[in-house]
Amino acid sequence: MMKERRSKGLTAVLMIAPFVITYLTVFAYPVYNMFALSFTDAPLIGEGRWVGFDNYAKLLNQKLFFTSVWNTGYFVVLTVVPNTLIGLGLALMVIRLKGWLQSLVLVLFFLPYILPVSVVTQIWEWVLDQQFGIAQYLIEFFTGRRISVFRDPIWAMPMVALVTIWWTNGFNLLLFIAGLRNIPADYYEAATLDGATRWQCFQRITWPLIWPVTALVLTLQLILQLKIFDQVYLMTEGGPFNSTYVLLQLVYREAFRLNHGGLGSAVAVFLFLIIVTVSVLQYQLLRVRGR
Amino acid sequence: MQRKSIGNILLLALTLSVACMWAFPIYWAVVTSVKAEHEVVSKTTFIPDVFNFSAYYFALFETNLAAWYVNSLVTSVSVTIIVILISVMCAYALSQIVFPGRGLLYGIILASFMVPSQALVVSQFVLMYRFGLINSWGGIILPQLIIPVVVIVYKQFFDSVPKELREAAKLDGCGDFQILFRLYLPLNWGITTALAIITYIMAWNAFLWPFLVTNSEEMMTVTVGITQVDDAFGVKYARDMAVAILAAMPVALAYLLFQKRVTQALMLSSGIKG
């Protein structure tokens, strides 16, 4: 009995060891080290002195930090709710299609999601190119002139948001379609027999039943978009005039460009804390609703 | 009745046109890539006057694309295999074996969802530097190996395998490793392919980390490398698009071949995150 228990323990250890060792090395330790570094004046590589909360105080005196916080927030506002609503709208359209037509349309909407970010940005830089971009016909039609959108402080962030919505919407669409398929068809049949209009069906049946999915998509989006970096870096590098500078880019700048590992880590800690807070709040909200 | 079917046709037309508009940038990229450079900048044609594949010739033979392909392939296939292997063993232990600290480990893995890996790049970079892995395949691979959701999905699938199966195998003298790899893994083959494909796509598409950890063009992955092309050769639209299309090909094909699996894996992982 004793021997069996011991061998069981040994098997368990052998099985979890590869994951746990990797986890501790490349995940848990970096989390710890991020906090530790943020209290030092270390360069990117090498030792630093303990400086307490100096880095955090520095951030509060840095204009670029507030610009980044503001821009990250602006980007979140531009993407999270629109992306969720567009996902729901497209799902309501797609769900009405049948068979191969539905599969085809779903592929058309979903394909951007699996493209690498650098491919997405290359495609859109070409589509929006000031001289030859095909989207300039549209821009010219509405504004009367061609605009170099990624070099214009007013247009840059909304355009990054537009590209992001195009790129990531497929995933939201997928979740909404799964949610809509779960609504029993007899609800709609009964409502139609009672003479309900399409709008009434949506208001009374679809919306309340799809709300949990909507809440999920909203929070996943919020967490995802707070971490924005790739698209901004590739399309605008934070410009023009820092109008698209975001938090993760500040991490990159401080740590990798200016060799301030400590200060970069302090920004990372700030971002980390925001995301953990959002995750915890979301978890609590969903749990309360679940009861 | 008449009104309703007209409404339906209008809705169908609307859906189809929105879908075509949505996919248009991809179509436009493909069309541009097979045009001659002078046609690209001289007029707007939706079908090229002459199909010209010189952009692809350039992309394949006059850039480092081949090296980037090798780097991407080696790193994303390694990430996929290692992630599946270490996660499936951990999940099996969590699901089937009672050992001290099991609940704690599970709780920690669940909590890891909240950690944004992007915030860890500075300390992961320092770590890879200490290991001497900057600008190497190992440096690209290692920090991508922890994907908590894979463990959780596997655990939930293993939880639902009837206990009698394991008992019977035990009586036949099988050890837990045999039970996992001969019985549980084949039983959950569908979910394994789903998770593997999605891991592969995510690893192939990773940008920030490979971008930070590589510093020579020869070591870059495809997604990082293609951003270097126009710096070196000036803006050439057909070339850029050909390069972009070649870079996206391995994931686009994986998706088109395994559509159902990709969507299944994504829905599973999001359901758990919620």
Side-chain angles (χ1 to χ4, degrees), chain A residues 15-42:
Chain A
M15 281 193 160
I16 63 170
F19 183 86
V20 170
I21 291 169
T22 319
Y23 182 93
L24 292 175
T25 316
V26 301
F27 200 81
Y29 174 73
V31 172
Y32 156 79
N33 203 33
M34 169 180 70
F35 282 96
L37 278 173
S38 78
F39 294 108
T40 70
D41 64 355

Side-chain angles (χ1 to χ4, degrees), chain A residues 23 25-26 29-30 44-45 96-97 110 114 116 118 122 126 129 132 137 166 175 198 216 227 229 268 279, chain B residues 8 12 22 32 40-41 44 108 112 114 118-119 123-124 126-127 129-130 205 208 223 237 241 255 270 274:
Chain A
Y23 182 93
T25 316
V26 301
Y29 174 73
L44 180 58
I45 301 297
R96 302 178 60 87
L97 303 175
F110 192 76
I114 54 110
S118 40
Q122 295 244 340
W126 165 227
D129 184 85
F132 307 109
Y137 289 107
W166 180 79
L175 294 184
R198 233 173 222 160
L216 172 69
K227 298 185 283 195
F229 171 79
S279 304
Chain B
N8 279 343
L12 175 70
W22 200 271
T32 303
V40 171
V41 294
T44 307
I108 289 174
S112 310
M114 284 187 255
Q118 290 88 338
S123 39
Q124 281 175 335
V126 174
L127 189 70
Y129 179 83
R130 287 203 197 127
N205 285 353
L208 178 59
T223 44
Y237 301 100
M241 290 306 108
Y255 165 63
S270 71

Side-chain angles (χ1 to χ4, degrees), chain A residues 180-257:
Chain A
L180 289 172
R181 281 193 183 137
N182 280 338
I183 301 177
D186 18 330
Y187 288 17
Y188 292 108
E189 278 161 28
T192 324
L193 280 180
D194 290 345
T197 61
R198 233 173 222 160
W199 172 242
Q200 282 172 326
C201 280
F202 175 77
Q203 225 182 347
R204 301 281 166 79
I205 304 170
T206 315
W207 181 247
L209 289 175
I210 206 71
W211 173 249
V213 181
T214 314
L216 172 69
V217 171
L218 277 171
T219 41
L220 287 178
Q221 281 295 312
L222 180 57
I223 293 168
L224 178 74
Q225 308 302 6
L226 281 170
K227 298 185 283 195
I228 181 190
F229 171 79
D230 303 355
Q231 307 96 292
V232 169
Y233 179 80
L234 289 169
M235 291 192 287
T236 68
E237 293 202 46
F241 313 118
N242 297 338
S243 63
T244 58
Y245 226 94
V246 289
L247 275 169
L248 207 51
Q249 198 170 1
L250 193 60
V251 176
Y252 171 67
R253 173 189 136 105
E254 289 299 340
F256 293 91
R257 282 273 168 87

Side-chain angles (χ1 to χ4, degrees), chain A residues 4 8-9 11-12 14-16 18-20 22-27 29-31 33-34 37 43-47 86 90 93-94 96-97 101 103-119 121-127 129 131-134 137 165-167 169-171 174-175 178 181 192 198 216 220 223 227 229-230 233-234 248 251-252 255-257 261-262 264-265 268-269 271-272 275-276 279-280 282-283 286, chain B residues 4 7-8 11-12 14-16 18-26 28-29 32 40-42 44 46 86-87 89-90 92-94 97-99 105 108-109 112-131 142-143 145-148 151 166 170 176-177 180 201-202 204-205 207-208 211-212 222-224 226-227 230 235 237 240-241 243-245 247-248 251-252 255-256 259 262-263 266-267 270-271 273-274:
Chain A
E4 198 197 324
K8 217 186 205 172
T11 317
L14 284 176
M15 281 193 160
I16 63 170
F19 183 86
V20 170
T22 319
Y23 182 93
L24 292 175
T25 316
V26 301
F27 200 81
Y29 174 73
V31 172
N33 203 33
M34 169 180 70
L37 278 173
L44 180 58
I45 301 297
E47 300 300 311
I86 292 170
L90 295 182
M93 286 160 80
V94 174
R96 302 178 60 87
L97 303 175
L101 196 60
S103 317
L104 175 77
V105 170
L106 203 52
V107 167
L108 292 181
F109 281 123
F110 192 76
L111 204 53
Y113 180 74
I114 54 110
L115 298 181
V117 64
S118 40
V119 171
T121 53
Q122 295 244 340
I123 291 177
W124 279 91
E125 271 170 8
W126 165 227
V127 168
D129 184 85
Q131 258 186 301
F132 307 109
I134 193 158
Y137 289 107
I165 290 174
W166 180 79
W167 179 37
N169 196 270
F171 182 54
L174 194 72
L175 294 184
R181 281 193 183 137
T192 324
R198 233 173 222 160
L216 172 69
L220 287 178
I223 293 168
K227 298 185 283 195
F229 171 79
D230 303 355
Y233 179 80
L234 289 169
L248 207 51
V251 176
Y252 171 67
F256 293 91
R257 282 273 168 87
S265 298
V269 167
L271 184 65
F272 174 90
I275 287 173
V276 169
S279 304
V280 171
Q282 170 236 358
Y283 180 73
L286 287 179
Chain B
K4 203 182 162 201
N8 279 343
L11 264 172
L12 175 70
L14 182 70
T15 311
L16 288 177
V18 173
C20 290
M21 269 163 53
W22 200 271
F24 179 76
I26 295 177
W28 192 235
T32 303
V40 171
V41 294
S42 62
T44 307
F46 290 91
I86 65 179
S87 304
M89 288 196 296
C90 185
Y92 178 86
L94 283 172
I97 306 176
V98 183
F99 60 91
L105 180 59
I108 289 174
I109 294 175
S112 310
F113 279 138
M114 284 187 255
V115 179
S117 57
Q118 290 88 338
L120 303 181
V121 288
V122 180
S123 39
Q124 281 175 335
F125 187 88
V126 174
L127 189 70
M128 291 306 119
Y129 179 83
R130 287 203 197 127
F131 288 166
L142 264 179
L145 293 181
I146 296 300
I147 310 182
V151 181
R166 183 162 171 263
K170 282 246 136 148
D176 278 302
F177 279 95
L180 167 58
I201 292 180
M202 294 305 158
W204 184 281
N205 285 353
F207 177 79
L208 178 59
F211 163 71
L212 292 175
V222 170
T223 44
V224 180
I226 64 164
T227 64
D230 52 56
V235 183
Y237 301 100
D240 278 3
M241 290 306 108
V243 168
I245 285 157
V251 279
Y255 165 63
L256 292 173
Q259 248 186 76
V262 172
T263 50
L266 283 172
M267 284 196 225
S270 71
K273 265 185 205 156

Side-chain angles (χ1 to χ4, degrees), chain B residues 140-219:
Chain B
I140 301 174
I141 294 167
L142 264 179
Q144 299 192 62
L145 293 181
I146 296 300
I147 310 182
V149 73
V150 176
V151 181
I152 310 290
V153 169
Y154 265 128
K155 182 190 176 289
Q156 298 201 333
F157 273 78
F158 289 163
D159 282 349
S160 63
V161 176
K163 295 269 176 261
E164 293 78 19
L165 267 174
R166 183 162 171 263
E167 304 292 324
K170 282 246 136 148
L171 286 177
D172 287 344
C174 288
D176 278 302
F177 279 95
Q178 273 179 310
I179 297 176
L180 167 58
F181 289 108
R182 294 253 178 96
L183 195 59
Y184 276 60
L185 204 51
L187 272 177
N188 293 284
W189 203 241
I191 192 59
T192 301
T193 44
L195 291 173
I197 290 157
I198 199 73
T199 308
Y200 164 78
I201 292 180
M202 294 305 158
W204 184 281
N205 285 353
F207 177 79
L208 178 59
W209 178 252
F211 163 71
L212 292 175
V213 82
T214 57
N215 52 36
S216 74
E217 262 199 38
E218 292 72 40
M219 279 313 298

